[in-house]
Amino acid sequence: MGERIHRGPGLRASLFPLTGPLRFLLLSSFLIPLGSFMVLPFMSVFLHERLGMGLGTVGVVLAVASLVQFSGGIVGGALADRIGLRRTMVWALVVRTAGFTGLLLALRWPPLAVWALVLTCCGAALYLPANKAYLVHGVDDERRPAFLSAGNAALNAGMAVGPLIAGPFVLSSPGWLFAAVTTLFLAVTAGHARLPGTDGTHPTESKEPARPSLLAGVALLPFAANALAFYLYFHFQHFLAVYAVERASSAFYSVVLLLCFTLVIVVQPLASGLIRRMPYALALAVGFTGLATGLAVLAAGTRAALLAGGALITLGDIVLFLKNDLEALRRSPRSDAVVFGQQRLAAGLGACASGVLGGQLYGLGERAGHTGWFWLLAAVQCLLLPPLLLTLRRRTARLPVSDGDHEGALTRDGTDGRIPGR
């Protein structure tokens, strides 16, 4: 009996029954990345081959876009606290729709493509913290991993299908593609306008001071771990398209993405309870080891290596990304939307660093004719950089613990993997 209580409810019991708004939100969590990933995974190829940008410049553009998309989430979380979750999602979708319209217009005026890309990323930054907070609004701590995993599964399903649909057309017929995506986003925006509103706050929020700073109450260790995880993962996200298309084809690149997203769809919901119970230090070790192994395998450059490397990297990020979000929710006194925004800020900093440094390094490898070493260097970083988190963990463990100091709980809670009530 005690073991059952420790394990918590099963996946099906945790999720059902779903209300109409939550069903629509999960459907939207599929449709939004479906439209986005009909375009965004191919942006490095589109900018490099169609617009003639050098890879160093492409890396900087992708870095800025990633910084906006992820780091802007901290603004999205704060905005959701001010105007509500539903209104934030609607405005975010309006901005993102305008961005895809700009990509369509960029076919006539190419310089507009960069600004349109940044605009789509602004919309994503505003949307996701409110989306996640709406999904877990009023859900108890034991059921949150299941809801977050269901949202992630829907998101990754859209991310998987999008490139398969768009792969044959992104370079040959981008006009029709951008028009279809813009129409899809118009429909999804109209649906969000009909969702019921929520107050967007957590029940414990009443003790929080009025208008605190955006970083107040940040959970330091999950924040740093998320930044590092995204920095390493985005070597794969930013530059796999150029690497895979050169060695195989855009269609095979889509197959690799399909495999990665399918693993998230299938594995993360099933493993969410295990990840919730896993000690944080063990989760970090498992996740970064998966990333290191997968990145090293990519260096072989064969089709089998692309598939195997992508799978290993995905299994690592399944553990890292979910566990970091759960830990941040547990350790911070802020509202869910603000916590998700803070984690998105960490992700943006990591993704931006990956774009800037990775673009230069990949460009050097391309000019030298040996791009495989780029992946080996990324794998080495996966082994050398995570131990720095242990230093951060020891430093935060020595901080004095006062009433209401949630970060002071790092010493005890950081090793047992539980998610007590907030």
Side-chain angles (χ1 to χ4, degrees):
M1 179 68 71
E3 179 67 19
R4 287 180 185 170
I5 294 174
H6 176 69
R7 289 183 179 275
L11 178 64
R12 181 175 294 273
S14 296
L15 284 175
F16 295 101
L18 283 174
T19 64
L22 287 181
R23 285 196 297 270
F24 172 78
L25 204 63
L26 288 175
L27 175 62
S28 298
S29 294
F30 168 76
L31 293 176
I32 290 172
L34 170 69
S36 299
F37 270 65
M38 288 169 67
V39 175
L40 299 182
F42 301 97
M43 286 308 296
S44 60
V45 179
F46 183 79
L47 295 174
H48 182 48
E49 295 187 6
R50 189 176 180 92
L51 301 187
M53 291 185 182
L55 278 174
T57 303
V58 169
V60 172
V61 171
L62 294 178
V64 172
S66 299
L67 181 64
V68 171
Q69 178 172 344
F70 289 98
S71 300
I74 197 168
V75 178
L79 182 64
D81 262 3
R82 301 291 183 264
I83 68 174
L85 301 177
R86 179 181 61 83
R87 292 177 64 189
T88 300
M89 288 190 289
V90 170
W91 279 111
L93 289 171
V94 169
V95 171
R96 205 162 194 193
T97 303
F100 284 110
T101 303
L103 287 175
L104 179 60
L105 298 175
L107 295 176
R108 297 284 184 149
W109 188 42
L112 186 61
V114 173
W115 298 105
L117 175 61
V118 172
L119 196 59
T120 64
C121 293
C122 288
L126 296 176
Y127 180 81
L128 195 59
N131 170 274
K132 285 187 172 184
Y134 197 107
L135 192 62
V136 300
H137 181 73
V139 176
D140 60 72
D141 288 333
E142 284 194 345
R143 299 174 67 202
R144 285 185 169 201
F147 275 77
L148 287 175
S149 294
N152 287 339
L155 183 144
N156 279 273
M159 292 164 71
V161 176
L164 288 177
I165 296 174
F169 309 110
V170 69
L171 292 177
S172 61
S173 305
W176 289 103
L177 182 63
F178 295 161
V181 171
T182 301
T183 302
L184 175 63
F185 269 82
L186 285 171
V188 172
T189 303
H192 275 70
R194 298 177 61 87
L195 286 173
T198 68
D199 60 11
T201 60
H202 192 277
T204 61
E205 194 74 11
S206 59
K207 294 183 179 180
E208 189 178 50
R211 297 188 181 277
S213 69
L214 294 178
L215 285 175
V218 67
L220 185 58
L221 183 55
F223 183 91
N226 214 41
L228 180 57
F230 271 81
Y231 164 72
L232 295 168
Y233 171 74
F234 262 73
H235 285 71
F236 171 76
Q237 183 74 17
H238 280 323
F239 302 105
L240 181 66
V242 178
Y243 187 72
V245 169
E246 183 180 84
R247 283 159 179 75
S249 65
S250 61
F252 188 79
Y253 170 59
S254 298
V255 171
V256 175
L257 292 183
L258 177 62
L259 171 65
C260 296
F261 296 137
T262 300
L263 285 174
V264 177
I265 295 164
V266 174
V267 174
Q268 192 175 74
L270 295 176
S272 61
L274 175 63
I275 294 171
R276 178 182 68 86
R277 296 189 300 273
M278 188 181 294
Y280 193 27
L282 176 60
L284 294 178
V286 169
F288 285 118
T289 300
L291 288 180
T293 306
L295 289 166
V297 169
L298 287 180
T302 64
R303 293 193 173 204
L306 293 174
L307 290 169
L312 290 167
I313 290 168
T314 300
L315 292 175
D317 78 59
I318 283 173
V319 177
L320 286 173
F321 297 164
L322 179 58
K323 189 64 174 181
N324 282 330
D325 275 354
L326 293 174
E327 285 294 305
L329 284 171
R330 181 179 61 78
R331 295 166 188 247
S332 175
R334 302 296 301 276
S335 73
D336 296 338
V338 169
V339 172
F340 286 127
Q342 291 171 341
Q343 289 298 96
R344 294 285 287 182
L345 170 62
L349 294 174
C352 178
S354 180
V356 172
L357 297 177
Q360 302 301 322
L361 292 174
Y362 195 96
L364 287 174
E366 184 182 55
R367 289 190 292 274
H370 298 287
T371 50
W373 70 268
F374 169 82
W375 305 106
L376 293 175
L377 179 59
V380 169
Q381 292 180 80
C382 289
L383 300 177
L384 296 181
L385 295 179
L388 297 178
L389 295 175
L390 297 178
T391 303
L392 175 64
R393 189 168 181 268
R394 294 189 191 100
R395 187 175 68 83
T396 54
R398 290 194 295 269
L399 293 176
V401 180
S402 61
D403 292 340
D405 184 355
H406 289 240
E407 199 65 39
L410 284 173
T411 304
R412 176 175 55 84
D413 294 333
T415 57
D416 61 19
R418 292 181 290 109
I419 305 180
R422 293 174 55 223

